[in-house]
Amino acid sequence: MLPDFPSRIKHYAHEAGFDLCGVAPVHNFREIKAFPAWIAAGRHGEMKYMEARNDAGELKRASLDRVAPWARSVIVCALNYNTDQPHSTEVQEPTRGWISRYAWSREDYHDTVLQRLRQVEGAIQNDLSNHQPLITNHSFRSYVDAGPIPERVYAKYAGIGWIAKNTCIINQKLGSWLFLGVILTSLELQADIPAPDRCGSCTRCLDACPTHAFVAAGELDARLCISYLTIEKRGEIPEALRAGIGRHVFGCDICQDVCPWNRKAPVTAAREFQPRPGLVNPALEWLVEMQSAPQCHNRDGK
């Protein structure tokens, strides 16, 4: 156990441009235990990568110790990507389509976040070499959306924020416009305290979903989610869901746009996430033309 090391790690994370950083223990939390049942119910839709199993036939995403038995701590970093552009619920122009806020910039957030994670990892390695010479057998693995565990679960237990009723991580000061990155480490670090759930009795996110993708608070059926339907799904979108999708052409922000915790969410300081030139009121007219064409009710244009 390195009692003072987490504070130095957080310093390195802030130097790399992250807004938040926390440490969680490696544990089979209840949210992870619920994952196999979610898969068994088919709520992941066509996202077959979530069904990946190990040699014993167990879901890889169901427990960290099955894919990284050497890991002892999880470092979670968060980067605010909010901009001062309007919310989807504020733009009612019928001639424009909506692109999810996370895709407004030219930068792929996977690359941007991973680059910062590796900077943090390098700083930790240097620190260990200079100040902890007796600790030589340490391992790290950084990833963004491509690892064995759901980042948001460990973000909760690292104190980054709570898992809201819309399944997003919400931070009390920054809101929910957060990209998450994870560093698995063999170091045994002092963990942070999980953030308390502050959703209260509010159900605005659940009530606002036009396709009724939330079967209950904190339970998402991806097959009904507009983000899944416009990004992940291949082939035709079910006709019954098309009216609810409306003018959304790539992703959906509705459940975050209506969240009270995002009313005063600060704008990101990261230049990479500023809207690309020509993206007016986060809509591109050529995308709207594609969406309005009768043959384009699905991503394959069939």
Side-chain angles (χ1 to χ4, degrees), residues 10-292:
K10 292 173 185 178
H11 172 72
Y12 300 141
H14 289 136
E15 282 190 329
F18 285 108
D19 297 285
L20 300 168
C21 178
V23 176
V26 171
H27 184 72
N28 195 13
F29 298 111
R30 62 178 180 83
E31 292 89 351
I32 297 176
K33 290 180 180 179
F35 183 72
W38 188 77
I39 292 292
R43 290 178 177 170
H44 62 303
E46 299 172 14
M47 296 182 284
K48 297 300 183 182
Y49 62 89
M50 291 188 173
E51 301 176 15
R53 298 177 183 271
N54 60 19
D55 293 338
E58 302 166 318
L59 286 170
K60 289 184 177 181
R61 287 178 170 244
S63 181
L64 182 56
D65 59 11
R66 293 171 185 166
V67 289
W70 49 267
R72 295 293 178 267
S73 302
V74 180
I75 301 166
V76 184
C77 298
L79 187 58
N80 175 20
Y81 68 90
N82 187 31
T83 74
D84 59 1
Q85 297 293 322
H87 292 165
S88 62
T89 51
E90 300 170 340
V91 179
Q92 303 299 328
E93 300 175 58
T95 59
R96 297 182 184 272
W98 187 263
I99 300 171
S100 187
R101 185 176 300 263
Y102 84 88
W104 291 359
S105 69
R106 292 189 183 277
E107 301 289 336
D108 185 326
Y109 77 89
H110 298 86
D111 298 334
T112 300
V113 177
L114 186 58
Q115 181 179 6
R116 284 175 163 84
L117 283 179
R118 287 177 173 162
Q119 180 179 334
V120 176
E121 184 180 329
I124 295 173
Q125 296 271 25
N126 289 335
D127 192 316
L128 289 171
S129 298
N130 295 330
H131 301 102
Q132 304 286 344
L134 296 179
I135 303 177
T136 56
N137 297 320
H138 48 268
S139 299
F140 297 91
R141 178 182 172 187
S142 299
Y143 69 84
V144 181
D145 283 354
I149 59 172
E151 290 96 327
R152 60 189 176 86
V153 174
Y154 277 89
K156 169 184 174 179
Y157 291 98
I160 298 297
W162 68 94
I163 299 177
K165 293 175 181 177
N166 64 355
T167 74
C168 293
I169 281 286
I170 299 181
N171 178 270
Q172 187 172 356
K173 294 182 179 179
L174 299 184
S176 67
W177 307 108
L178 299 171
F179 289 137
L180 299 175
V182 163
I183 303 175
L184 304 181
T185 177
S186 59
L187 298 174
E188 189 173 353
L189 304 170
Q190 179 66 45
D192 286 283
I193 299 174
D197 188 322
R198 299 186 183 277
C199 282
S201 60
C202 178
T203 59
R204 294 185 187 185
C205 59
L206 309 183
D207 300 336
C209 180
T211 52
H212 308 290
F214 299 104
V215 296
E219 296 184 30
L220 173 71
D221 188 333
R223 297 169 297 183
L224 304 177
C225 178
I226 294 175
S227 287
Y228 166 81
L229 292 168
T230 58
I231 299 175
E232 298 284 354
K233 181 175 172 54
R234 299 297 184 267
E236 287 196 13
I237 293 174
E239 188 171 353
L241 298 175
R242 295 176 189 174
I245 292 173
R247 57 192 179 81
H248 289 82
V249 294
F250 189 87
C252 179
D253 295 325
I254 292 175
C255 66
Q256 295 188 82
D257 286 340
V258 301
C259 177
W261 288 103
N262 283 331
R263 287 177 182 169
K264 297 182 179 180
V267 173
T268 182
R271 294 176 58 187
E272 301 96 319
F273 301 139
Q274 296 306 315
R276 73 191 75 172
L279 202 62
V280 182
N281 287 342
L284 292 176
E285 277 133 2
W286 67 270
L287 279 173
V288 177
E289 291 174 3
M290 291 177 62
Q291 184 197 38
S292 61

